[in-house]
Amino acid sequence: MPLRDFDDAALTRAGRALARDLGPAEPMLPRPLPRAARRSGWQPLRKSIGAAAVIALLSILASERRDAPAPAPAAIAAPPVWEDAAADRYRLDGTDEARAGARRRPSLGLREDSLALGDFGTIETPFLRVTLAEAPDLETGLFVSLVRRAAEHDGLAVIRTGDRGRIESRFGPVETLEATLSGSEGQRACTAFRLLDPAIRLDGWLCAPLGLPPEPVAVGCALDRLTARPNVLLPAAVVDLLTRPARPVCAPPAPEPRDTTAARRPRERKNAAKVRQSAQAWRDPGTTAALGRHPDTSR
């Protein structure tokens, strides 16, 4: 089939027919972007007026506050004062050289007794401090108790702490803390302790001789020495604590019996040998001459 020739007139007619079928079309031209709205010149002025008003209001409030009378200072409650008490309740078993002290706070119902044995400045001897309070203390840390009581009782400072531990005593389990205490007379390695009993507070520290840290057994036995003086009325919790039996590990070693028979036997043997030697010497002139003696020929 022969192809039909299309001329320009035919193409124009076909384009017009297609345009009628599609309808009118908008030209694809770039549209202008919307421009930002122009700001009014009154906006900066409104902000300046608002800021000036706020500053003026703050100035008025400050001037009124300066003119107002100052309120009276609130009364600060003074800390409770300790009162001296008779130190006639406790002692350290086995010695009368312990120094005792006692104080109390009537407003809180708190009494505190302290015993000290030895001198911190004498490094050749142990130094023991035991403090007992007949009412529970609000403090919860052994370190806080050590710092406060070391400064109050002996004027000491805690300059270093070490390992924590736990030992046994006749009063129950005891918390320990290695610490180095320092004072005007030098430094010593000590072990602080505190009884783990919620009904009573019992704490202190022990410093061993010659700058060495004390053994755990020595700390427990030193604490076990605390006892009550005779004919003293104490709270039930303290009585129950101090009447607990002693531990065998802290009992002093029994003296060994002396065998006097064994001491006499060598002397008897020595005397018998001298008697035999003397008798033989008198019978044998040669032996007598060897001993530097002359026999008595008159017999």
Side-chain angles (χ1 to χ4, degrees):
M1 176 179 169
L3 295 177
R4 186 176 179 181
D5 297 331
F6 293 93
D7 52 5
D8 294 338
L11 293 175
T12 301
R13 290 192 298 272
R16 291 176 179 175
L18 181 61
R20 285 195 301 270
D21 295 338
L22 296 177
E26 296 182 0
M28 299 180 65
L29 298 176
R31 297 180 180 179
L33 297 175
R35 296 182 180 181
R38 296 182 61 184
R39 295 182 178 181
S40 175
W42 289 96
Q43 188 172 2
L45 182 61
R46 288 197 300 268
K47 290 184 179 181
S48 300
I49 295 174
V54 172
I55 294 174
L57 179 61
L58 293 176
S59 301
I60 294 173
L61 294 177
S63 61
E64 293 179 354
R65 195 170 180 181
R66 285 194 300 268
D67 297 338
I76 301 176
V81 180
W82 287 100
E83 296 180 357
D84 293 334
D88 56 355
R89 294 193 175 187
Y90 306 101
R91 64 185 180 90
L92 292 177
D93 191 15
T95 181
D96 295 330
E97 300 177 356
R99 303 179 300 276
R103 58 183 185 174
R104 61 183 179 181
R105 286 179 176 176
S107 59
L108 301 178
L110 177 64
R111 177 188 171 97
E112 185 177 284
D113 289 78
S114 180
L115 294 171
L117 181 62
D119 189 6
F120 183 82
T122 307
I123 196 172
E124 294 81 7
T125 59
F127 177 65
L128 173 65
R129 168 74 68 179
V130 180
T131 303
L132 186 144
E134 297 178 359
D137 196 1
L138 299 179
E139 297 177 357
T140 57
L142 174 57
F143 176 77
V144 176
S145 300
L146 173 63
V147 171
R148 195 190 76 177
R149 262 174 281 285
E152 290 179 350
H153 292 298
D154 303 295
L156 304 175
V158 182
I159 62 174
R160 190 182 304 109
T161 58
D163 297 336
R164 293 180 178 268
R166 179 175 294 190
I167 61 175
E168 292 296 330
S169 70
R170 74 184 182 101
F171 306 130
V174 176
E175 179 188 3
T176 60
L177 173 64
E178 297 178 358
T180 301
L181 303 183
S182 176
S184 59
E185 298 176 334
Q187 302 178 6
R188 297 190 66 170
C190 309
T191 297
F193 53 82
R194 181 185 64 164
L195 180 66
L196 298 176
D197 191 333
I200 196 169
R201 180 168 55 86
L202 178 61
D203 53 36
W205 60 85
L206 174 66
C207 306
L210 304 179
L212 301 176
E215 296 291 336
V217 176
V219 176
C221 293
L223 182 59
D224 287 0
R225 299 176 64 181
L226 179 65
T227 184
R229 294 182 180 272
N231 303 324
V232 176
L233 297 178
L234 299 175
V238 180
V239 173
D240 176 71
L241 189 74
L242 298 180
T243 54
R244 296 178 183 178
R247 298 182 301 157
V249 68
C250 296
E256 297 181 358
R258 298 181 61 184
D259 188 1
T260 57
T261 305
R264 291 177 182 176
R265 288 177 180 175
R267 183 178 301 175
E268 293 176 356
R269 296 196 198 99
K270 188 175 182 181
N271 293 338
K274 287 183 177 180
V275 172
R276 290 194 299 270
Q277 184 179 6
S278 301
Q280 183 179 2
W282 284 111
R283 290 193 299 266
D284 189 359
T287 306
T288 305
L291 295 174
R293 296 178 182 176
H294 299 282
D296 189 359
T297 56
S298 62
R299 296 185 183 180

